[in-house]
């Protein structure tokens, strides 16, 4: 039996261990927020935004941001049909209605024309998810959002390191959210971040994130509104600070792995994550979409990778094909691409021999 190749695995060095150890030993009492404050400050600076709030997850950050925008019952929120459920769950928790639109065949992100067509008087927001490190067409989406006076939100959980026309993914929306789950480009174990340039929205989310206690409230244990409890711990933030000092290395390695797959597979009937002019792909998850003509289907890929002890993950199914929502098979591309696609392993310490094993399985499936 060959050694298993995991699909992701964080890169934890002595630096992360030293920071976490310091936080565990000393980060209490009057110092209990030191790493959290530093992580928020340095993350905002890396991204080029004014405000950041560390959270326990991306899902929590999204939940609070949507709540702060006043999104609730009777409102519609547009997002792409192919997404992880975390991007839509907070919409449902708030009682709003998700509207799933089709994806583009090359970026696998939401199609701006479909977004435009889906807008109604009840539309309150668009959630642009930068899928697998690929960036959404932000200029067109920003235009649509501005014309219709609705919020454009970025779920940038998969887009650390991605850039669109000089702006980092996560710096362009009304607000954006990130995830530091163990599978993501940088990790704190579990964790997330809310970021925004809107100072009023920042104050509102700060209040919501602190059990509804406003910053200026001098009365002790005195909530001003019902808030949330989605905080990051100081120990997690310490690991985040260490990871952030290594972010160029972490993203660079992801990009090198994607490029290695591109080089090895360029003559085959398939496509990988695109990188249009003026953009940098964050390369969180190298993904192969086989041409329809190739006849390669996801089930065959899963079986072939499993036989070689390689963790390859399926492309996100259309959310509208799950039991909780009305099916939208009219989202033809979203219902088609996942049937002939697979996510490839891309962890930081991956060896060339492991890459070669993955490539061999793909060639075998095509052969
Ligand atoms: C991972 C992920 C999330 C969820 O992140 P958590 O930190 O686990 O809440 C949300 N959106 C996208 C696009 C993700 O990839």
């Amino acid at each position: 039996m060959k050694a298993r190749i995991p699909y992701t695995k964080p890169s934890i060095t002595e630096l992360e261990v030293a920071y976490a150890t310091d936080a565990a030993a000393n980060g209490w009492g009057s110092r209990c927020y030191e790493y959290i404050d530093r992580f928020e400050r340095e993350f905002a600076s890396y991204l080029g935004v004014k405000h950041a709030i560390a959270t326990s997850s991306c899902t929590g950050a999204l939940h609070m941001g949507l709540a702060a925008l006043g999104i609730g019952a009777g409102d519609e929120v547009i997002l792409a049909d192919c997404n992880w459920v975390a991007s839509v769950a907070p919409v449902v928790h708030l009682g709003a209605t998700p509207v799933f639109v089709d994806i583009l065949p090359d970026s696998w992100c939401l199609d701006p024309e479909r977004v435009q067509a889906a807008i109604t008087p009840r539309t309150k927001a668009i959630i642009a998810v930068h899928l697998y490190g690929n960036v959404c067409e932000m200029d067109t989406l920003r235009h649509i959002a501005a014309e219709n006076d609705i919020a454009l939100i970025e779920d940038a959980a998969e887009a650390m390191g991605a850039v669109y026309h000089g702006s980092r993914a996560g710096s362009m929306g009304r607000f954006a959210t990130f995830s530091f789950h163990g599978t993501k480009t940088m990790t704190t174990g579990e964790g997330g971040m809310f970021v925004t340039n809107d100072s009023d929205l920042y104050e509102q989310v700060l209040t919501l994130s602190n059990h509804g206690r406003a910053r200026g409230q001098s009365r002790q244990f005195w909530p001003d509104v019902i808030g949330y409890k989605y905080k990051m711990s100081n120990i997690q933030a310490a690991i985040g600070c260490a990871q952030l000092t290594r972010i160029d290395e972490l993203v660079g390695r992801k990009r090198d792995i994607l490029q290695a797959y591109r080089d090895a597979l360029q003559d085959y009937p398939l496509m990988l994550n695109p990188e249009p002019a003026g953009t940098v792909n964050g390369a969180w998850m190298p993904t192969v979409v086989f041409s329809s003509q190739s006849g390669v289907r996801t089930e065959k890929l899963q079986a072939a990778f499993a036989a070689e002890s390689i963790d390859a993950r399926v492309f996100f199914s259309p959310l509208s094909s799950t039991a909780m929502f009305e099916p939208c098979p009219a989202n033809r591309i979203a219902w088609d691409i996942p049937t002939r696609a697979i996510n490839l392993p891309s962890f930081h310490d991956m060896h060339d021999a492991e890459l070669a094993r993955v490539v061999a399985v793909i060639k075998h499936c095509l052969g």
Side-chain angles (χ1 to χ4, degrees), residues 3 41 45 197 266 275 326:
R41 208 168 49 238
S45 152
N197 282 312
Q266 58 183 346
E275 191 167 56
E326 287 294 312

Side-chain angles (χ1 to χ4, degrees), residues 305-317:
F305 278 107
E308 291 296 314
S309 299
I310 297 170
D311 285 346
R313 298 286 168 121
V314 298
F315 199 102
F316 294 129
S317 301

Side-chain angles (χ1 to χ4, degrees), residues 197-247:
N197 282 312
D198 181 330
S199 298
D200 292 335
L201 191 65
Y202 168 69
E203 286 297 334
Q204 283 182 61
V205 173
L206 202 61
T207 299
L208 287 178
S209 76
N210 193 20
H211 280 304
R213 292 175 292 185
R215 181 148 55 170
Q217 180 56 261
S218 53
R219 238 171 122 172
Q220 279 191 330
F221 297 119
W222 193 256
D224 299 277
V225 292
I226 290 291
Y228 296 88
K229 184 62 196 295
Y230 290 138
K231 281 173 176 284
M232 176 180 279
S233 78
N234 200 51
I235 298 173
Q236 289 170 306
I239 297 174
C241 287
Q243 290 262 286
L244 200 53
T245 68
R246 298 178 54 223
I247 191 62

Side-chain angles (χ1 to χ4, degrees), residues 14-355:
E14 286 176 11
L15 190 71
E16 285 81 359
V17 174
Y19 277 46
T21 303
D22 178 51
N26 306 309
W28 308 104
S30 63
R31 301 184 59 188
C32 71
Y33 297 120
E34 269 181 17
Y35 278 110
I36 297 173
D37 291 343
R38 175 176 162 190
F39 188 35
E40 290 175 345
R41 208 168 49 238
E42 293 180 352
F43 195 87
S45 152
Y46 167 78
L47 217 62
V49 299
K50 282 194 200 147
H51 309 288
I53 300 172
T55 58
S56 53
S57 71
C58 177
T59 311
L62 199 51
H63 195 174
M64 290 193 293
L66 292 167
L69 290 179
I71 288 169
D75 297 333
E76 292 174 355
V77 176
I78 298 172
L79 73 165
D81 205 346
C82 282
N83 265 313
W84 178 225
V85 70
S87 300
V88 74
V91 175
V92 176
H93 289 318
L94 289 167
T97 305
V99 176
F100 300 117
V101 298
D102 209 353
I103 58 175
L104 292 166
D106 48 359
S107 73
W108 320 320
C109 293
L110 78 186
D111 181 340
E113 277 183 27
R114 299 307 187 94
V115 172
Q116 177 76 63
I119 288 174
T120 75
R122 290 191 298 279
T123 308
K124 286 286 156 56
I126 301 164
I127 302 178
V129 183
H130 304 295
L131 205 75
Y132 301 141
N134 308 351
V135 279
C136 298
E137 288 193 1
M138 291 304 288
D139 276 345
T140 320
L141 292 172
R142 260 193 298 214
H143 184 73
I144 294 169
E147 290 263 285
N148 294 280
D149 196 22
I150 55 184
L152 176 60
I153 295 159
E154 291 177 273
D155 181 345
E158 305 179 3
M160 271 307 281
V163 180
Y164 177 86
H165 299 181
S167 300
R168 288 201 187 280
S171 68
M172 295 170 279
R174 183 79 184 281
F175 73 81
T177 59
F178 286 86
S179 173
F180 310 123
H181 181 257
T183 53
K184 299 291 158 67
T185 297
M186 65 169 274
T187 190
T188 60
E190 293 277 0
M193 194 71 85
F194 170 91
V195 299
T196 185
N197 282 312
D198 181 330
S199 298
D200 292 335
L201 191 65
Y202 168 69
E203 286 297 334
Q204 283 182 61
V205 173
L206 202 61
T207 299
L208 287 178
S209 76
N210 193 20
H211 280 304
R213 292 175 292 185
R215 181 148 55 170
Q217 180 56 261
S218 53
R219 238 171 122 172
Q220 279 191 330
F221 297 119
W222 193 256
D224 299 277
V225 292
I226 290 291
Y228 296 88
K229 184 62 196 295
Y230 290 138
K231 281 173 176 284
M232 176 180 279
S233 78
N234 200 51
I235 298 173
Q236 289 170 306
I239 297 174
C241 287
Q243 290 262 286
L244 200 53
T245 68
R246 298 178 54 223
I247 191 62
D248 291 342
E249 176 203 346
L250 296 175
V251 173
R253 179 66 184 135
K254 282 283 189 185
R255 288 179 49 76
D256 287 349
I257 292 170
L258 175 58
Q259 189 56 47
Y261 282 129
R262 278 200 195 111
D263 292 344
L265 296 168
Q266 58 183 346
D267 297 326
Y268 293 85
L270 50 81
M271 68 168 296
L272 285 116
N273 312 50
E275 191 167 56
T279 70
V280 175
N281 196 305
W284 170 59
M285 187 67 72
T287 299
V288 184
V289 176
F290 291 78
S291 76
S292 309
Q293 296 76 16
S294 73
V296 177
R297 314 288 294 173
T298 300
E299 300 73 38
K300 176 176 172 177
L301 291 161
Q302 281 181 280
F305 278 107
E308 291 296 314
S309 299
I310 297 170
D311 285 346
R313 298 286 168 121
V314 298
F315 199 102
F316 294 129
S317 301
L319 288 165
S320 78
S321 69
T322 63
M324 299 79 75
F325 301 107
E326 287 294 312
C328 311
N331 293 333
R332 296 178 105 98
I333 300 170
W335 282 58
D336 171 38
I337 283 184
T339 67
R340 49 186 173 89
I342 201 95
N343 300 145
L344 305 179
S346 63
F347 56 95
H348 190 80
D349 296 323
M350 201 171 174
H351 296 299
D352 287 350
E354 291 170 318
L355 261 154

